[in-house]
Amino acid sequence: MSQSLELLLIQVLMPDNDARRQAEEQIKRLAKDPQVVPALIHHLRTAKTPNVRQLAAVILRRKITGHWAKLSSQIRQLVKSSLIESITVEHSPLVRRASANVVSIIAKYAVPAGEWPELFPFLFQCSQSVQEDHREVALILFSSLTETVGDTFQAHFADLQSLLLKCLQDETSTRVRVAALKAVGSFLEFTSAGADVVKFREFIPSILNVSRQCLANGEEDVASIAFEIFDELIESPAPLGDSVGSIVQFSLEVCSSKKLETNTRHQAIQLISWLAKYKSNALKKNKLVVPILQVMCPLLAEAAEEDEEDEDSDLASDRAAAEVIDTMAVNLPKLVFPPILEFASLSIQQVNPKYREASATALGVVSEGCFELMKDKMEPILHIVLGALRDQEQMVRGAASFALGQFAEYLQPEITSHYEIILPCILNSLDDASDGVKEKSYYALAAFCENMGEEILPFLDPLMGRLLATLQNSPRNLQETCMSAIGSVATAAEQAFVPYAERVLELMKIFMVLTNDEDLCSRARATELVGIVAMAVGRMRMEPILPAFIEAAISGFSLEFSELREYTHGFFSNVAEMMDDGFAQYLPHVVPLAFSSCNLDDGSALDIDDSDDDENLNGFGGISSDEDAHDEPRVRNISIRTGVLDEKAAATQAIGMFALHTKSSYAPYLEESLKILVKHSSYFHEDVRLQAITALKHMVTAAQEVYQGHNDGPTKAREVLDTVMKICIKTMNDDDDKEVVAQACLNVADIIKDCGYMAIEPYMHELVAATLLLLQEKSACQQAESDSDDDDTSHDEVLMDAVSDLLPAYAKSMGPHFGPVFAKLFEPLMKFARASRPPQDRTMVVACLAEVAQEMGAPIGSYVNNVMSLVLKELASSEATNRRNAAFCVGELCKNGGEATLKYPC
């Protein structure tokens, strides 16, 4: 075999395509015989040309897994020793690396079996060789071995770290330093123990030095490995310590350099975004917020100086910088808002329109995180943004429209009180010469109107006239945004929308029968809008004309467009809520569609990397990538079809709405629905889990109706309740998403109100324990990865409001018997009333205490002295809501507190 194989290897490297294909086919046949292994080893060591030796190693790497177990111990030993020899004495770097790849594959089987004890000593010896080539290839092997035998490195971890640090500081070889950088990345990716990760902090100065050298030499792809290493360090719970300053400085240097590739700069900006998300306290502690913003804010204005391709790219610096500012605002609002307002105030006066655009953009992106601070500065903020809305440059007007949409979404309810000056400005923008500005203006209009009530009525006629005209005479993208705005207007106007409903619905019929691919987004929006209009005008007006819309909606499922199915499930949910029990007639048609969407494969896909640098030569791939190859490829990335994920969430919500509103008519579907919801309650994505948890509560409501009057009804209803309660308690303890946990708390509170204490009595111990954990901020969703022991006051307000709803629910169901339970929860609750806490926390505590006092009665007397000073302070609050809560609380304390209240002005 050896002689014929040599000729075939040479033939594979010839330029003649026919000859090469013939040789590849013959090699494939020979490679099925285990004896191909010693033959390939022979040519790896003796072939005269490096290309043939390299090709022998490449084929060996692909075939060794399938043949290893069939080889005798003598041949195995020959293979191992020959590979070590090749690594040691081979002159060609490509052949050495190819041999190292084979070593990595064999080690996967030989090292755990104790058949290669000399490998690690050899590698340590090699890594300290005086020869640069040996040191480099040893580091390359250490990198690849982490993928196959990483567990066995644990015993050598300290030695390996010392070795890697030494090689990062190698004074004589850039190649060794780069190989060490790559090895650090491999080891850090494999390392999970916090104590081991912390040790890598010592590497940061050396990593930065190597990275700067690589950037200076134009090796940006190598330097980018540093960002991957820092990503791993940042996402780890282990603290970064003082190194965070060096990392930020390096990242700011890179993202500020216009000489570097867009992708490299984007990695640097993204790294700062991760720091803001995972290590915000470290940025605060090291006073890095302002230096970061001093670089990020000007980047918002940079796109005009870049190519148009970059301006439209997700990698564009202005977009990436906006993401960083947004993340920082969410995590560090008090530190972010003052410099952002200063930047916006100065930039709006600049001659360069990109800076005026950046002014409005910056205010828009921080509105989610800085909402509390911005509410107190509405006048100067609106002065900037409404001025930008009148700017002569369309890019500035577009940014202003975007900002107003953000304000309408996040600065509620204060922003709505300015409707008299904002709404006319938005209406004017709807006539802008730029379609881009128009589209953003419709977004702003939709967001603004969504939170209005009767205030919209004076504007209703001109608004609808403009919107209906746009709906009939505009490009598809504008029509879609226009539909969203009409939906918001309908929601705000309610019955006042009736005069416009008929015309809107007639137009939607046209959209709901479109079948061309490019029109399906518009069809989806139209389907959604019909459901919103139905909610606004009510059952009496909609019921006679509903069948045609239901039929059109159902027909859309045959078009295989996930977004259309998603919006159609939302449409069915709205119609079910509007029709209530009248929706039962449609259940046989729509429930199977919801089940089908819930059971879809979410399309999780692995992006596989099965290529190697040494196989990218002409002719190598045809031999090495056949069906007999047994290598386990590396997973580069995991992708999810997000459209299907959104569809699942909408379908899950629909199941809950169907059950809630049709109750006993939902009986045929209850069991299957419960199975789906139980499964989705532990789904990987929080959007689906949230809808599942919400829908499970509706299953309890439906089950009570479905099983009423059945002989075994109480037992079956109890089984459903038990299933839901167990999931809610598990979610409270273990789910890592605050919104999902909040919904589980609300479920429990509602179940207690609906079913009474006896229904939840078996779970009371677990419920109290879960509630205590949440009040102590120790549940899974509250374990933010932080490198500071600072008291984090940025907890989710929605979560704690939901948790505080549990205590009055317990008190109402237990009455005075809640006293001993409240004793356990009182101190953790009062922690939220400390002066260091935000005002909304103290408001939450006062409202909770008032309701507990009202429901628990006399036992509240034990706490009067501890809480009355807090409540009296809230009575002096400038906020009317706070004063009302405090007055209510004082009244309940005085009514139920007994003698303890005598010294207070009750």
Side-chain angles (χ1 to χ4, degrees), residues 666-717:
Y666 199 70
Y669 315 103
L670 187 62
E671 187 176 345
E672 181 63 23
S673 296
L674 203 56
K675 287 178 184 177
I676 290 171
L677 296 177
V678 168
K679 181 181 176 184
H680 281 187
S681 69
S682 58
Y683 193 74
F684 78 91
H685 198 278
E686 63 272 13
D687 287 354
V688 176
R689 294 201 307 277
L690 176 63
Q691 297 302 337
I693 294 297
T694 305
L696 281 167
K697 164 62 179 65
H698 301 328
M699 294 299 128
V700 174
T701 303
Q704 290 174 325
E705 294 282 340
V706 166
Y707 297 123
Q708 196 172 33
H710 290 215
N711 290 335
D712 56 352
T715 303
K716 287 189 172 292

Side-chain angles (χ1 to χ4, degrees), residues 464-465 467-473 476 479 482-483 486 500-514 522-523 526-527 529-530 549:
M464 288 307 301
L467 291 170
L468 287 169
T470 303
L471 200 55
Q472 296 171 81
N473 304 300
R476 283 283 187 253
Q479 286 177 326
C482 181
M483 288 182 212
I486 291 173
Y500 311 97
E502 183 178 354
R503 181 67 184 130
V504 171
L505 292 173
E506 285 299 318
L507 288 170
M508 292 307 102
K509 282 182 182 178
I510 299 170
F511 286 99
M512 286 183 70
V513 295
L514 299 174
S522 297
R523 179 169 176 165
T527 305
L529 179 54
V530 172
F549 290 105

Side-chain angles (χ1 to χ4, degrees), residues 264-332:
T264 306
R265 297 179 69 197
H266 184 268
Q267 277 189 291
I269 298 173
Q270 189 64 54
L271 187 73
I272 295 174
S273 185
W274 288 142
L275 280 166
K277 181 176 182 180
Y278 293 109
K279 307 290 183 186
S280 57
N281 279 328
L283 298 182
K284 176 181 176 181
K285 180 180 177 183
N286 289 275
K287 296 181 170 56
L288 294 167
V289 173
V290 171
I292 290 172
L293 291 175
Q294 285 172 341
V295 173
M296 291 300 132
C297 287
L299 283 179
L300 290 176
E302 188 180 287
E305 300 170 30
E306 299 179 353
D307 295 338
E308 285 186 10
E309 288 182 359
D310 282 340
E311 191 172 351
D312 293 333
S313 166
D314 288 337
L315 300 181
S317 298
D318 58 339
R319 297 187 187 184
E323 182 184 335
V324 172
I325 294 169
D326 184 11
T327 306
M328 291 180 70
V330 168
N331 290 281
L332 298 163

Side-chain angles (χ1 to χ4, degrees), residues 648-838:
K648 275 180 181 281
T652 305
Q653 179 189 37
I655 287 173
M657 296 302 284
F658 299 160
L660 175 65
H661 293 287
T662 63
K663 297 182 175 65
S664 59
S665 298
Y666 199 70
Y669 315 103
L670 187 62
E671 187 176 345
E672 181 63 23
S673 296
L674 203 56
K675 287 178 184 177
I676 290 171
L677 296 177
V678 168
K679 181 181 176 184
H680 281 187
S681 69
S682 58
Y683 193 74
F684 78 91
H685 198 278
E686 63 272 13
D687 287 354
V688 176
R689 294 201 307 277
L690 176 63
Q691 297 302 337
I693 294 297
T694 305
L696 281 167
K697 164 62 179 65
H698 301 328
M699 294 299 128
V700 174
T701 303
Q704 290 174 325
E705 294 282 340
V706 166
Y707 297 123
Q708 196 172 33
H710 290 215
N711 290 335
D712 56 352
T715 303
K716 287 189 172 292
R718 182 78 216 188
E719 288 173 0
V720 174
L721 177 64
D722 287 344
T723 298
V724 174
M725 287 300 299
K726 287 173 183 175
I727 289 172
C728 286
I729 292 168
K730 185 177 189 303
T731 299
M732 290 166 68
N733 288 319
D734 299 338
D735 200 292
D736 61 4
D737 184 83
K738 291 180 178 179
E739 193 174 357
V740 177
V741 175
Q743 186 58 53
C745 294
L746 294 175
N747 280 8
V748 171
D750 286 343
I751 288 170
I752 294 171
K753 291 170 189 171
D754 293 346
C755 304
Y757 177 72
M758 293 308 295
I760 56 100
E761 191 273 336
Y763 300 102
M764 202 60 206
H765 178 74
E766 293 174 83
L767 283 171
V768 171
T771 306
L772 180 60
L773 208 62
L774 285 160
L775 287 172
Q776 293 171 335
E777 298 181 279
K778 293 180 180 179
S779 75
C781 70
Q782 295 161 311
Q783 299 311 297
E785 294 175 330
S786 170
D787 48 58
S788 170
D789 292 327
D790 294 348
D791 185 22
D792 181 13
T793 60
S794 62
H795 67 274
D796 193 320
E797 186 180 347
V798 173
L799 172 64
M800 295 318 300
D801 279 349
V803 174
S804 67
D805 283 349
L806 286 170
L807 277 65
Y810 297 154
K812 185 169 185 176
S813 68
M814 298 176 71
H817 299 291
F818 181 57
V821 175
F822 187 59
K824 299 176 184 177
L825 305 175
F826 177 72
E827 288 299 332
L829 174 67
M830 292 303 292
K831 180 185 71 173
F832 292 92
R834 292 175 184 168
S836 61
R837 289 285 183 172

Side-chain angles (χ1 to χ4, degrees), residues 196-211:
D196 290 333
V197 173
V198 169
K199 294 175 186 174
F200 279 100
R201 288 194 316 204
E202 302 172 29
F203 290 52
I204 290 175
S206 299
I207 291 171
L208 292 172
N209 287 336
V210 174
S211 301

